[in-house]
Amino acid sequence: MTGYTYTVFIILIPLVMFLVTGLLGMKWKPIVSGILGTIGMGTSWVLSLITAGSLFLWAPCRRISDHHSIRNEMVEIYGHLNYQNGDLA
């Protein structure tokens, strides 16, 4: 999964599991509905941890190792930068 496209599943998985267990839960034993709901919430929790880790833990390390990345992003946004004496002019 590239980028953060999988983050939509953090919301969709519990919603789909709620609908599935709500519509089909009466036909199953209660333990099956409970297990499916728990698996759905657990999967959503793991995806949340992966997202938080990639945003707050691993991304800053990559940016520190590539000290030009922030300047390059700014150049892409503004087109040019004049950097003199520690200030952006």
Side-chain angles (χ1 to χ4, degrees), residues 2 8-9 17 32 38 43-45 51-52 57-59 61 64-65 69 74-75 83 88:
T2 60
V8 71
F9 294 121
M17 294 310 292
V32 174
T38 303
T43 304
S44 187
W45 178 70
T51 302
L57 298 177
W58 303 302
C61 294
I64 289 170
S65 66
S69 66
M74 296 289 283
V75 168
Y83 187 75
L88 292 176

Side-chain angles (χ1 to χ4, degrees), residues 25-74:
M26 301 302 273
K27 299 178 182 179
W28 299 328
K29 292 181 181 179
I31 189 76
V32 174
S33 294
I35 289 172
L36 288 177
T38 303
I39 288 172
M41 292 304 291
T43 304
S44 187
W45 178 70
V46 168
L47 288 175
S48 297
L49 289 178
I50 291 169
T51 302
S54 65
L55 286 173
F56 301 118
L57 298 177
W58 303 302
C61 294
R62 284 194 304 261
R63 287 191 180 133
I64 289 170
S65 66
D66 181 18
H67 58 88
H68 295 292
S69 66
I70 295 174
R71 185 179 190 286
N72 292 340
E73 290 175 16
M74 296 289 283

